[in-house]
Amino acid sequence: MPRIRQADVDEVKARTNIADIVGERVSLKSAGVGSLKGLCPFHDEKSPSFHVRPQVGYYHCFGCGASGDVYSFLREMDHVSFTEAVERLAGRVGYTLHYEDGGAAPETSGRSRLYAANTAAAEFFRAQLLSPDAETGRRFLGERGFDAGAAAHFGVGFAPRGWDGMLKALTAQGFTREELLAAGLVSQGQRGVYDRFRGRLVWPIRDVTGQTIGFGARKLFDDDQGPKYLNTPETPIYKKAQVLYGLDLAKRDISRGDPRRVVVVEGYTDVMACHLAGLTTAIATCGTAFGTEHIKVLRRVMGDDSASGEVVFTFDGDEAGQKAALRAFSEDDRFNAQTFVAVAPDGLDPCDLRLQRGDAAVRGLMDAKQPMFEFAIDRKLAGFDLATVEGQVGALRAASPIVAEIRDRLLRPGYERVLARRLGMDPTEVHAEVERAARGNSHPPQRREAAPAVSETPGAPVVSAVTIASLPRSAEVSLERDALIGALQYGHRVDGELLRRALQQPFRHPALEAVREATAEADWGRPGWSMEAVNAVREPYRSLAGELLMTAFPAKDEEGAVASTTDLARRLIVRGIEHEKQELLGAVQRVPADSDGGRALRVRLRDLDLERQRFTES
């Protein structure tokens, strides 16, 4: 292979901003003057140790030791040769390379030819969608609410029904049959080489940088004996366990979201429906289950501060969809973000939901999302008759191992209470069963790194404390934060019974929950009570409690602050009432209406409505 002149190698590197190249794969943020940092793409980590200095064109990971320039980054990430890395970057900056023997640029440089072949195939398929033979494909899209603009945005194309239409088109452009076979675009049969995709709608599958690396194709005709969906086989550039459809379109909004949210759906049309409805962070796997490698890719895009982020899985309500959700649940602890499940009404997928009920219904899925742990618990409980003692005991034994597997010691007590409410059992009985299940596990529960905590190992480093500035920016966290600020500063001037009930409601953020527990136990009428409450907060959250105590409360005067604190307390109580009501509504469906339990539930629901009205009106 001809060798690129060193002067050109240096010039291309000088014209390339390494932060732009790395930033396509890793979410970077400022780490001081002239430095950026993010999660290392070369090893699995939850705290950022990967640093980039654009001014010197260099990167280094303090965790695994990986380091180098922009060429070595591409070589490691994409497994390309040095020459291919230089050629790829030269194409980005529009620089013409020169070779030492005076020859032209090589036309067959391995992986770069596979990228080029896939790009050419995508253009061929898009053009074919306009042909008369593609009428069935265009009708398929139209019936699902996708017009020509939507098809163009996602690059949807059509593969002709003939055996070698694409083969002829791409060989005419200079691609060899060997290259097309290596790219997975054609197949080898007894009678020769033929198109892999025939008579199908085709979606281009791109990597995070936007380069086409493969295709997903849906059959349209009844005489097609192949599977409903056919994907590109494994190739040097297409690894289905690492590919997420739509990530190239979603990554910008994912990294800039507040909170950073990823919506995981099941198919290409679901991704299209979500994006067109306004959920522009939707992605999907490509012919395989959501797994560990997908998580690694998402975490790099979401960034190291994604502990406040959300990953929302949308699954069909059928048995297969529930199994898919539970498979995702088994990988939950690998996320730094919070995980949720959203199941559409009537088990509709996002595409059908948009078609039947409009864009607003698709966006509304996010309002109906359920924490992944709750979803897993509910699936376990669904197989038992909770109206009987035997059913309750069996359900407890089935669900307690799920709670025992929760590695965050701050989350587990909350889910023990959730399980107790679901079963209508004494929380102490549930706690005892969960502890028994935990002792039976092969490994003891550990804290998830997403929740800062103090190590119990002597000599181990202490996790840095949480601050007000580091808290997630969400309505729920803001309510809890402001209520604690008011309670710590003006709790002695607020109605004691009201505040006590408000602080009996478990908080959803673990750091604020630790402060709530100490504040709820304080003697609010005692001089210096607030400092005692702060000192009673367990580490590493004590400094956060001090911040909450010293932070200026947003009010014009003390009377206004007391009034605001009272209002925040009422809002906490109303939130707790609404949460309990939702749980009871679920329980009502499982208990016969004419039973004692059913009547008791309806009475409790009525009382909750009256309570909510009282606190709302006051």
Side-chain angles (χ1 to χ4, degrees), residues 180-195:
L180 299 180
L181 280 166
L185 293 169
V186 297
S187 301
Q188 178 73 55
Q190 294 181 350
R191 298 183 179 181
V193 176
Y194 58 91
D195 290 353

Side-chain angles (χ1 to χ4, degrees), residues 1-4 87 96-108:
M1 180 181 296
R3 184 175 180 179
I4 303 171
E87 290 172 348
T96 302
L97 296 172
H98 303 84
Y99 296 79
E100 290 188 345
D101 63 356
E107 292 295 334
T108 55

Side-chain angles (χ1 to χ4, degrees), residues 152 214 275 293 332 345 369 397-398 411 509 575:
H275 279 248
E293 293 301 313
D332 175 82
K369 66 182 185 293
R397 289 172 177 164
L411 282 179
H509 190 279
R575 186 180 74 168

Side-chain angles (χ1 to χ4, degrees), residues 315-316 318-330 375 379:
F315 296 106
D316 293 342
D318 58 16
E319 183 177 356
Q322 293 181 12
K323 287 182 178 179
L326 294 178
R327 282 197 301 269
F329 167 71
S330 68
F375 178 85
R379 295 288 77 72

Side-chain angles (χ1 to χ4, degrees), residues 34 282 291 367 402 424 466 516:
D367 299 327
I402 294 177
V466 179
R516 179 203 67 80

